[in-house]
Amino acid sequence: MALSTHRSTATLLRHLKATTTTTIPFLRNLSTNSTSTITVETSVPFTGHKIDPPSRSVETTPQELMSFFRDMALMRRKEIAADSLYKAKLIRGFCHLYDGQEAVAVGMEAAITKKDCIITAYRDHCIFLGRGGTLLESFAELMGRKDGCSKGKGGSMHFYKKEGGFYGGHGIVGAQIPLGCGLAFSQKYKNEENVTFTLYGDGAANQGQLFEALNMAALWDLPAILVCENNHYGMGTAEWRAAKSPAYYKRGDYVPGLKVDGMDALAVKQACSFAKEHALKNGPIILEMDTYRYHGHSMSDPGSTYRTRDEISGVRQERDPIERVRKLLLLHDIANEKELKDIEKEVRKEVDEAIAKAKESPLPEPSELFINVYVKGYGAESFGADRKEVRAVLP
Amino acid sequence: MAAISQGIEATTALFLANSNKFLFSSCGSSLSEKKRNFFVVKSDGKSYSGLNQQQRRAQKVVTNAIATKKDKAPSSTASKPGHELLLFEALREGLEEEMDRDPCVCVMGEDVGHYGGSYKVTKGLAEKYGDLRVLDTPIAENSFTGMGIGAAMSGLRPIVEGMNMGFLLLAFNQISNNCGMLHYTSGGQFKIPIVIRGPGGVGRQLGAEHSQRLESYFQSIPGIQMVACSTAYNAKGLMKAAIRSENPVILFEHVLLYNLKERIPDEEYVLNLEEAEMVRPGEHVTILTYSRMRYHVMQAAKTLVNKGYDPEVIDIRSLKPFDLYTIGNSVKKTHRVLIVEECMRTGGIGASLTAAITENFHDYLDAPIVCLSSQDVPTPYSGTLEEWTVVQPAQIVAAVEQLCQLLR
């Protein structure tokens, strides 16, 4: 997914008058040429606060755009499947869906490596997938089965993937922000050239711990990037009713900020790689992703009591991230309608298979209740309180 | 003993030499795989170690489990082994040894660096280890505790100092949800080897907000361990054990105990986090206590001994989980229990301990468990009122007399 750095002089924006349903065979060879760079302009320019925003032109390759499409289609399909599973009472408790916001997950992933850390709040299903989580792990976790990423003990709000650098998955609004600064502190302490992306929402942007953590990150130049996924509603409260200043990218005051169109995966990618560069040199930066969620806050929220259905469908028509990438793919003749539809069908099948497999996964054993409460080992020959179980023996 | 000191010197030299470029390849990986030359002293005086038989015979162990020192003769200092220091210095020594041993250990808290710590526990460490390892944080308990937990998740071993335990109430969300539960909710993927420490308890007229006993609030959090130190010896040992533990540990110190002087061994020792300390073996009644109340109990014990009673005093040390083994053995011997604690009457450690003992050892009890705790009031400023909120030795003597009368 690395950006190809050399510019191919022959490749520019191509305007095709022909309808996208028919494609001349010989032109299709261009789509598989993954080294060709396409330069795309983001839909909206970036707005900076105390920083010069990056350029609007983003370089990408056909391969990358295809992977964006596929990943976002997978995430969208997964969230819709989770919706039906919840209504079928296979998923209980809280289920916060990310559909509409997929561009943030996918664009961020494109700009960074697995050594960079991401930490987010409870709307974590798609970011988990982006970080290398499998569909089986996520569905099994949602249904409380043993094969889940947290062995069924975490649930929707507690997805973690240590190998992928994904630190969760947190239920309390805003509590993940100091944790993210701690991850950045650790990266600085160990002299790693990596950054931490700490995601939070517009609701959490009013939490005190955000500003406390921001102060510390700025004080010690920690490589922390705070990303506000502004979907304009903190559960049922619109942003203008909750925040005196809804310009979240400006609220860092002494910390530079950037406002990004969060429904445009390429803009997100550009902003994230810009932010990573900045954070490694100068310390924290705030990114505000202007995004939107189609579902309500969670499955128990219809999502229509505080906003109109017209608004939702309006955003879906004009700003949908998958549609945007689809148009780009068709415009640059990287794929045709049929191929894209095939990908969507394939993705749907993948999701259905994963759900079937997850349904077969067993529920955890009763003994799992007490496992992982404490870490076993290391310490003197210490026993449990009843002296029957040796916890650890010194070497 | 020679082998141990050589081992320690070698490792110390290695870390000091490399202090400029932090060797972090071992950060995050378990140090338990490497061989360590140190030994553990249990409170009953038995010691064992990872060394072979030969070396073990060559060791000399000085244990000093009993808090009240019988000999106060001034001439005894030169000939006795070990070195004398105050409790806060013992904490510092333990901290320094662990920071030398493992470059992942770092301290963060308010005024721990340049100021040296409000109770001088971290004095001199910032000059030695640098500002990043002994981090002065702004006054933001919630976030710097959260930061410590995040750092622990990714391989460091931070020690978070609350200037006063009462301030950590602001960090309760982080301690409860993230610190205690992350290992479980992540299915074992992340461990949080953090130590949260600080002074608590009723001091000398510090006022209500600065005299809080947080052990009662934290005791229900699953996934954490709580220990309370009471002597210089166990302070150093528990500090080292807490830092080495892979679980989050909350170490409760007491504001009034920092200047206790004691002689501790020169050799490296690590105490057991889950074990209680037998302070004074006896036959008539089991008195369970911890932290500062240990000294009130020992004072009362002197009076009781003069009156002909033989109390068994146990410093429970481990507040979560309770060392029901030691406690149970004592109950089975004496059949009477008195708990003396500084927590409030409602919902304190004593309340939980009473429930635990009744549940497990009910058949061995000859009398109901008596629990002496502080009054359920905010600690007043005025000296005499403050004295009345906390358990005093006279009350302990009276309680023991009443308990033992039930048999006579």
Side-chain angles (χ1 to χ4, degrees):
Chain A
M1 217 124 348
L3 201 53
S4 109
T5 47
H6 79 273
R7 286 174 188 278
S8 157
T9 50
T11 312
L12 289 169
L13 268 172
R14 300 172 56 117
H15 295 281
L16 285 178
K17 298 255 174 57
T19 58
T20 49
T21 47
T22 60
T23 315
I24 310 162
F26 72 85
L27 275 178
R28 212 163 328 127
N29 288 333
L30 208 62
S31 68
T32 54
N33 183 5
S34 57
T35 57
S36 66
T37 323
I38 304 173
T39 312
V40 183
E41 284 242 312
T42 65
S43 52
V44 176
F46 299 105
T47 329
H49 165 75
K50 298 208 173 153
I51 196 171
D52 289 321
S55 110
R56 262 178 92 171
S57 313
V58 187
E59 283 181 9
T60 180
T61 65
Q63 196 187 36
E64 186 173 60
L65 284 176
M66 284 301 282
S67 77
F68 277 9
F69 183 82
R70 189 171 205 289
D71 290 340
M72 287 203 278
L74 188 73
M75 291 175 182
R76 177 69 61 92
R77 191 70 238 147
K78 184 211 175 273
E79 295 296 73
I80 295 177
D83 181 315
S84 347
L85 284 176
Y86 193 90
K87 290 185 175 137
K89 290 212 195 308
L90 281 164
I91 302 178
R92 314 301 297 270
F94 292 120
C95 190
H96 304 87
L97 298 177
Y98 202 69
D99 55 329
Q101 299 182 213
E102 300 92 352
V104 176
V106 152
M108 188 179 290
E109 213 41 62
I112 59 178
T113 68
K114 288 287 189 285
K115 289 230 151 116
D116 298 309
C117 307
I118 298 186
I119 187 169
T120 181
Y122 41 78
R123 214 176 285 279
D124 54 355
H125 304 169
C126 298
I127 302 195
F128 171 72
L129 288 179
R131 288 261 94 181
T134 66
L135 282 172
L136 172 63
E137 277 177 344
S138 64
F139 281 119
E141 184 62 34
L142 287 172
M143 294 197 265
R145 309 295 169 108
K146 224 158 64 162
D147 290 326
C149 53
S150 304
K151 307 210 180 99
K153 296 195 273 195
S156 161
M157 298 191 284
H158 298 284
F159 280 21
Y160 301 89
K161 186 103 187 152
K162 188 166 182 188
E163 309 81 51
F166 180 52
Y167 287 79
H170 295 275
I172 304 294
V173 170
Q176 77 277 11
I177 303 172
L179 288 186
C181 288
L183 296 173
F185 174 77
S186 179
Q187 285 169 333
K188 185 178 175 105
Y189 191 96
K190 296 187 204 170
N191 286 326
E192 293 171 5
E193 291 289 303
N194 296 318
V195 294
T196 301
F197 283 82
T198 308
L199 278 65
Y200 59 96
D202 46 300
N206 299 316
Q207 275 264 326
Q209 40 191 337
L210 164 63
F211 298 97
E212 293 177 13
L214 203 60
N215 176 40
M216 289 196 282
L219 194 60
W220 301 318
D221 285 326
L222 301 181
I225 298 160
L226 282 87
V227 180
C228 178
E229 291 178 293
N230 184 7
N231 55 23
H232 306 287
Y233 294 95
M235 201 163 101
T237 309
E239 57 175 352
W240 55 271
R241 288 183 65 226
K244 180 78 181 170
S245 159
Y248 299 109
Y249 69 108
K250 282 193 189 162
R251 283 171 71 170
D253 185 24
Y254 40 83
V255 172
L258 200 64
K259 187 167 170 148
V260 185
D261 179 5
M263 305 294 258
D264 183 353
L266 291 169
V268 172
K269 181 182 121 172
Q270 178 88 320
C272 289
S273 44
F274 174 76
K276 176 169 175 175
E277 234 182 272
H278 182 273
L280 284 173
K281 278 199 308 260
N282 305 333
I285 179 173
I286 297 182
L287 296 178
E288 183 186 334
M289 303 282 175
D290 187 353
T291 178
Y292 200 84
R293 55 169 161 81
Y294 299 141
H295 270 91
H297 165 75
S298 70
M299 285 307 299
S300 49
D301 170 27
S304 49
T305 53
Y306 45 87
R307 51 186 190 173
T308 59
R309 288 194 203 278
D310 289 335
E311 184 188 309
I312 306 173
S313 49
V315 175
R316 204 189 271 270
Q317 266 179 335
E318 284 165 39
R319 297 176 65 201
D320 185 69
I322 301 181
E323 285 313 306
R324 193 167 275 172
V325 175
R326 190 199 297 268
K327 282 194 196 121
L328 270 176
L329 287 172
L330 296 173
L331 189 69
H332 292 273
D333 204 24
I334 300 169
N336 61 15
E337 272 290 348
K338 183 173 173 312
E339 284 176 344
L340 297 179
K341 283 235 173 351
D342 283 340
I343 292 179
E344 286 183 327
K345 281 205 196 99
E346 200 188 304
V347 152
R348 197 184 183 126
K349 193 158 144 280
E350 217 178 296
V351 167
D352 287 338
E353 271 170 15
I355 293 179
K357 207 153 163 234
K359 280 186 186 162
E360 283 169 29
S361 167
L363 287 164
E365 305 284 310
S367 59
E368 273 286 319
L369 184 63
F370 297 104
I371 296 179
N372 289 142
V373 178
Y374 291 104
V375 178
K376 281 183 176 299
Y378 207 90
E381 197 182 79
S382 60
F383 299 85
D386 57 358
R387 267 308 141 109
K388 291 195 188 116
E389 182 204 13
V390 179
R391 287 250 174 95
V393 181
L394 268 182
Chain B
M1 191 129 83
I4 296 173
S5 37
Q6 259 174 22
I8 293 172
E9 271 166 33
T11 47
T12 320
L14 175 69
F15 280 104
L16 280 178
N18 289 314
S19 61
N20 286 332
K21 42 166 186 137
F22 297 107
L23 289 180
F24 293 114
S25 53
S26 58
C27 274
S29 70
S30 167
L31 282 171
S32 61
E33 279 117 36
K34 307 197 183 140
K35 283 249 171 237
R36 294 280 161 212
N37 284 339
F38 62 92
F39 60 93
V40 171
V41 179
K42 288 163 68 169
S43 55
D44 57 359
K46 231 174 28 136
S47 79
Y48 48 90
S49 71
L51 308 173
N52 55 36
Q53 277 288 76
Q54 224 175 2
Q55 288 164 318
R56 217 178 279 158
R57 256 181 265 130
Q59 286 165 31
K60 260 213 217 134
V61 175
V62 175
T63 61
N64 196 2
I66 300 175
T68 52
K69 294 183 65 64
K70 295 289 185 289
D71 53 321
K72 294 215 165 89
S75 59
S76 59
T77 47
S79 51
K80 295 190 81 160
H83 56 285
E84 219 173 43
L85 41 54
L86 304 176
L87 196 144
F88 72 87
E89 290 172 346
L91 285 168
R92 192 198 315 149
E93 224 178 69
L95 189 48
E96 204 169 332
E97 282 173 19
E98 289 305 301
M99 288 181 83
D100 276 335
R101 180 178 172 269
D102 183 356
C104 293
V105 177
C106 56
V107 184
M108 46 181 86
E110 294 160 15
D111 279 328
V112 293
H114 294 189
Y115 191 81
S118 50
Y119 293 95
K120 293 180 279 192
V121 174
T122 49
K123 192 160 184 186
L125 296 183
E127 286 86 41
K128 186 171 172 194
Y129 297 108
D131 278 346
L132 200 62
R133 273 188 93 182
V134 186
L135 191 65
D136 274 327
T137 62
I139 306 178
E141 281 78 11
N142 193 4
S143 331
F144 71 69
T145 311
M147 233 181 76
I149 296 168
M153 270 171 98
S154 49
L156 295 187
R157 304 185 84 94
I159 296 152
V160 172
E161 173 174 316
M163 192 182 274
N164 186 295
M165 268 294 174
F167 306 162
L168 289 182
L169 282 174
L170 287 159
F172 205 109
N173 174 48
Q174 296 288 350
I175 296 175
S176 163
N177 289 327
N178 293 330
C179 179
M181 303 199 197
L182 257 174
H183 187 65
Y184 191 79
T185 55
S186 67
Q189 284 181 67
F190 296 110
K191 57 180 170 65
I192 321 281
I194 193 175
V195 177
I196 299 175
R197 50 161 291 267
V202 177
R204 293 253 181 271
Q205 297 188 252
L206 295 177
E209 289 167 348
H210 292 73
S211 314
Q212 298 196 66
R213 281 76 79 192
L214 285 222
E215 51 267 22
S216 53
Y217 305 151
F218 288 142
Q219 65 178 322
S220 311
I221 301 173
I224 58 162
Q225 279 188 263
M226 304 202 305
V227 283
C229 62
S230 47
T231 65
Y233 178 74
N234 62 31
K236 179 174 172 186
L238 289 175
M239 169 73 99
K240 289 170 74 89
I243 296 173
R244 292 191 196 187
S245 167
E246 302 291 352
N247 294 308
V249 179
I250 305 186
L251 173 58
F252 290 94
E253 301 151 12
H254 197 285
V255 273
L256 294 180
L257 296 183
Y258 278 126
N259 290 322
L260 276 181
K261 192 180 271 205
E262 194 182 338
R263 183 167 280 276
I264 64 169
D266 289 324
E267 303 84 27
E268 192 181 3
Y269 66 94
V270 180
L271 290 180
N272 193 337
L273 280 178
E274 293 93 1
E275 203 177 6
E277 192 178 315
M278 178 70 69
V279 184
R280 180 191 189 285
E283 293 292 323
H284 290 167
V285 59
T286 302
I287 306 183
L288 302 171
T289 180
Y290 66 93
S291 195
R292 179 173 167 235
M293 287 295 117
R294 168 185 172 141
Y295 296 94
H296 281 207
V297 166
M298 290 313 289
Q299 207 179 334
K302 273 195 226 153
T303 320
L304 286 168
V305 164
N306 288 339
K307 289 195 176 181
Y309 296 96
D310 188 18
E312 174 154 298
V313 181
I314 295 179
D315 181 346
I316 60 174
R317 255 175 25 193
S318 169
L319 305 179
K320 187 182 167 86
F322 292 130
D323 182 4
L324 289 176
Y325 182 74
T326 311
I327 296 172
N329 282 346
S330 177
V331 173
K332 289 174 191 170
K333 185 167 59 162
T334 66
H335 311 292
R336 278 175 286 278
V337 180
L338 171 68
I339 301 173
V340 180
E341 55 154 2
E342 210 175 320
C343 271
M344 310 269 198
R345 155 143 274 112
T346 309
I349 296 287
S352 305
L353 194 51
T354 309
I357 298 175
T358 313
E359 217 174 85
N360 289 299
F361 307 114
H362 182 256
D363 292 330
Y364 298 95
L365 290 170
D366 281 346
I369 302 175
V370 178
C371 180
L372 295 177
S373 5
S374 301
Q375 302 304 319
D376 276 331
V377 294
T379 313
Y381 163 73
S382 172
T384 42
L385 286 180
E386 188 187 61
E387 234 177 78
W388 292 332
T389 56
V390 186
V391 179
Q392 300 297 337
Q395 292 166 297
I396 303 172
V397 172
V400 169
E401 288 185 328
Q402 200 180 28
L403 251 185
C404 291
Q405 239 162 40
L406 290 164
L407 191 64
R408 304 237 168 94

